[in-house]
Amino acid sequence: MDIKKTLFIGLTLLITLNLNAQNLMDSVYNEPYRPQLHFSAKEKWMNDPNGMVYYNGLYHLFFQYYPNGITWGPMHWGHATSNDLVHWQQQQIALFPDSLGYIFSGSAVVDKHNTTGLGKNGQVPLVAIFTHHDPIGEKAGTNTFQYQSLAYSLDEGKTWEKYSGNPVLKNPGIRDFRDPSVQWYAPQKKWVMTLATKDRVTFYSSPNLKEWRKESEFGSNIGAHLGVWECPNLFKLKLKEKTYWVLMVSVNPGGPNGGSATQYFIGDFNGTEFKTSVPNPVTKWADYGPDDYAGVTWSNTGNRKIFLGWMTNWTYAQQVPTEKWRSAMTVPRELKLMEVNNDVFLRSTPVKELKDLEASNRNLTGTIQSTNAITLDISNKLLFKLNIDFDKIGEFTLVMENNNGNKLEIGYDSNTKAYYINRSKSGIVDFNPEFPKLISAPRLTSTVVTRLELILDASSVEVFADNGLTVLTSTYFTKNPFNKLTIKKNKNTAVKTAKIAGLKSIW
Ligand code: FRU
């Protein structure tokens, strides 16, 4: 063959191949509704965050993953890593189902003292503690098909080996017996496991992660109980030199806006028992919105507590109108405590690392102070963060709209004393009758300085009201991004400062 011709064909082929590769790259993370600021799996079904652990400069995020479909199926642990909590790289699947069952939710710890003996040649083992769910036992109608097992990594989380002695905690006959969250309890030099056991949490302890002893139970007569308890997480936080223990527990259904949500209790833990130490007149929710479930915090981050949840609701998670992938995580949030009327609450705010995504900034203070409604063209800020510091809140509404007549409204209603999100006209809402319902959350205080932060992504909005005391997370599905933002307020609302920042995609 003529050499020129061969060269030509070769070159064309190379260019086509390159273009195809480029198209493929462009299409991933660029599909309709694909979150640009939040982690989502490249493709297929994802649910709960799992095994979140920080080690040697890397944040590990494992997640419930079904790589062969876009609805829930035999669970694996998918894996992603980040060095800044903002940009994520998806890694190879960490744990596959095996003869003991599917790999359900759980946690991961750094076994610094090699209590497990799994560390070899001085390499510190990362140990994952998860639930094995045996589908055969489930079908056969037994009550013992969920039990706890271990896997470990000797290369800082890249590859994982299942422990040969699995399971390490057998099922005593409780149908819902899952989602172990493990931590080192230094005062008694032992590991503590917080496990969801149907309508309560059961604490276990162990010297080596392999042998577990039951310590106590908590919660059968407190909190929300419409559905079973799942994905608990116990951790310490300080408020003015006083240490509190926070116990988070997800419940499904039974959330404040229907379906899935995460409640929390504040109290004391002595290595054996958890007791609430502050009044609990009402159930406290980590997020009042419908789209934050199974959230837990990273282990091994010292005093900093960073939370992340699954940003959807079991009520409709498997029906949302995405095609190649399903669901995303919330932004990572820093948790702190706040005192309100002699009670103690969690407050969450987006982690400071997200600041790196700010591409442009506009100060709206003067304009908002001088008028009761402003409309902004946000077509160059399709992803944005809005910060408003109020001196006083009477009523206000934030309306995001596009040219197709889709709109999303967020506001505060002084009659009901509640924050709300109205997504009934936000785009596609008819995949489930629950989805268009009004979302609301009580305002817990009017006495603190009140900052509202809002993060808008391609298919989600996260609202952190009253300095993060009341959080509302909501997804929405509009094909065309919102290009107009209107901020309205009544005369009883006074704004101290207001800023909007355009955000860059993390992909
Ligand atoms: C919570 C949950 C967990 C379970 C996992 C299964 O969303 O139901 O309790 O381990 O999902 O995927």
Side-chain angles (χ1 to χ4, degrees):
M1 205 201 256
D2 170 346
I3 179 107
K4 268 195 194 148
K5 216 168 166 183
T6 323
L7 249 176
F8 175 75
I9 296 174
L11 251 179
T12 326
L13 197 74
L14 207 75
I15 291 171
T16 327
L17 275 177
N18 253 330
L19 279 177
N20 281 344
Q22 191 59 44
N23 280 343
L24 212 71
M25 269 169 58
D26 282 351
S27 57
V28 179
Y29 301 123
N30 248 330
E31 308 91 337
Y33 320 121
R34 178 69 95 164
Q36 298 299 311
L37 309 169
H38 295 83
F39 175 76
S40 57
K42 264 188 202 135
E43 54 166 14
K44 308 302 182 195
W45 169 265
M46 171 181 91
N47 56 287
D48 315 359
N50 293 151
M52 301 197 314
V53 59
Y54 176 71
Y55 189 59
N56 268 354
L58 265 196
Y59 292 91
H60 293 269
L61 166 61
F62 300 89
F63 48 90
Q64 288 287 278
Y65 190 44
Y66 181 45
N68 303 319
I70 56 157
T71 48
W72 191 90
M75 283 289 117
H76 300 53
W77 272 27
H79 186 199
T81 52
S82 169
N83 53 24
D84 62 1
L85 289 167
V86 177
H87 299 91
W88 294 95
Q89 274 86 44
Q90 193 166 333
Q91 308 292 352
Q92 62 182 21
I93 292 176
L95 299 174
F96 288 79
D98 56 42
S99 61
L100 291 174
Y102 302 162
I103 315 297
F104 270 24
S105 289
S107 54
V109 296
V110 180
D111 183 15
K112 283 184 198 120
H113 311 297
N114 198 18
T115 61
T116 50
L118 295 168
K120 296 271 144 37
N121 308 323
Q123 181 62 264
V124 172
L126 294 189
V127 183
I129 307 95
F130 60 89
T131 300
H132 257 128
H133 170 103
D134 168 26
I136 303 165
E138 182 187 19
K139 272 208 194 88
T142 71
N143 276 332
T144 50
F145 54 87
Q146 296 187 337
Y147 29 81
Q148 321 316 318
S149 290
L150 306 181
Y152 60 100
S153 169
L154 298 179
D155 56 6
E156 305 195 359
K158 285 190 198 72
T159 57
W160 292 80
E161 215 36 78
K162 304 241 177 64
Y163 170 56
S164 57
N166 283 340
V168 292
L169 175 59
K170 296 212 175 84
N171 189 314
I174 304 170
R175 246 189 94 81
D176 297 287
F177 189 72
R178 58 178 179 267
D179 308 339
S181 169
V182 173
Q183 64 189 288
W184 180 246
Y185 188 75
Q188 292 167 18
K189 295 199 172 52
K190 65 182 188 187
W191 297 100
V192 169
M193 178 196 290
T194 309
L195 192 71
T197 50
K198 197 177 160 196
D199 59 346
R200 63 197 72 185
V201 148
T202 304
F203 297 101
Y204 291 84
S205 71
S206 168
N208 54 13
L209 296 173
K210 295 170 175 169
E211 288 130 31
W212 293 93
R213 190 179 87 179
K214 180 172 165 180
E215 295 283 358
S216 67
E217 295 176 357
F218 170 83
S220 61
N221 52 9
I222 187 171
H225 280 282
L226 195 60
V228 293
W229 282 18
E230 300 183 314
C231 301
N233 188 209
L234 175 73
F235 53 89
K236 275 190 300 199
L237 278 178
K238 261 193 174 169
L239 177 67
K240 294 191 215 141
E241 300 314 306
K242 188 168 166 134
T243 300
Y244 291 90
W245 285 82
V246 181
L247 176 61
M248 282 186 147
V249 192
S250 285
V251 59
N252 176 55
N257 281 288
S260 329
T262 303
Q263 58 190 321
Y264 66 91
F265 305 92
I266 303 225
D268 280 331
F269 182 70
N270 61 7
T272 302
E273 263 184 304
F274 176 86
K275 285 203 178 110
T276 53
S277 64
V278 297
N280 268 285
V282 287
T283 305
K284 296 170 178 170
W285 298 97
D287 193 320
Y288 286 81
D291 293 311
D292 179 357
Y293 193 60
V296 288
T297 58
W298 259 278
S299 76
N300 203 35
T301 53
N303 290 334
R304 195 174 174 208
K305 276 290 142 198
I306 310 161
F307 166 95
L308 176 126
W310 178 44
M311 197 160 55
T312 183
N313 192 307
W314 275 117
T315 308
Y316 45 73
Q318 304 188 77
Q319 299 162 348
V320 299
T322 59
E323 281 162 15
K324 288 202 210 144
W325 53 282
R326 276 253 171 81
S327 80
M329 299 301 181
T330 64
V331 288
R333 302 166 181 182
E334 174 133 15
L335 299 182
K336 298 217 165 120
L337 293 175
M338 190 195 265
E339 208 174 72
V340 179
N341 305 332
N342 297 322
D343 199 350
V344 180
F345 289 83
L346 269 184
R347 57 177 280 235
S348 16
T349 49
V351 292
K352 59 179 189 308
E353 285 85 345
L354 285 161
K355 247 198 151 335
D356 294 347
L357 296 179
E358 292 183 14
S360 60
N361 251 304
R362 190 167 153 201
N363 195 330
L364 307 170
T365 312
T367 337
I368 292 193
Q369 282 170 345
S370 60
T371 165
N372 285 332
I374 60 166
T375 298
L376 306 171
D377 175 356
I378 51 165
S379 46
N380 62 345
K381 289 191 182 69
L382 300 176
L383 318 166
F384 68 83
K385 183 170 122 193
L386 181 69
N387 272 12
I388 306 181
D389 279 326
F390 293 96
D391 276 324
K392 196 164 74 155
I393 296 185
E395 282 200 353
F396 69 86
T397 321
L398 314 169
V399 191
M400 268 75 73
E401 284 166 282
N402 67 14
N403 297 337
N404 296 44
N406 301 138
K407 69 175 177 184
L408 183 64
E409 281 181 307
I410 295 161
Y412 178 69
D413 180 337
S414 61
N415 287 323
T416 54
K417 294 197 170 37
Y419 291 99
Y420 64 88
I421 299 182
N422 182 346
R423 58 179 176 182
S424 63
K425 299 194 174 67
S426 60
I428 302 182
V429 299
D430 60 0
F431 49 86
N432 186 291
E434 292 300 311
F435 191 82
K437 291 192 176 158
L438 187 75
I439 298 160
S440 81
R443 186 165 189 220
L444 299 172
T445 177
S446 53
T447 56
V448 291
V449 188
T450 49
R451 161 168 291 200
L452 179 126
E453 276 188 79
L454 179 155
I455 294 183
L456 187 101
D457 199 345
S459 53
S460 65
V461 65
E462 288 159 283
V463 182
F464 303 87
D466 293 320
N467 298 6
L469 188 59
T470 297
V471 183
L472 292 105
T473 299
S474 165
T475 50
Y476 66 91
F477 298 92
T478 171
K479 271 212 173 113
N480 297 316
F482 297 128
N483 53 9
K484 207 167 94 181
L485 164 67
T486 305
I487 307 177
K488 299 183 213 166
K489 62 176 175 42
N490 74 353
K491 59 178 186 331
N492 297 326
T493 302
V495 167
K496 197 197 285 168
T497 59
K499 271 188 214 139
I500 186 165
L503 303 173
K504 293 178 284 198
S505 169
I506 63 169
W507 303 117

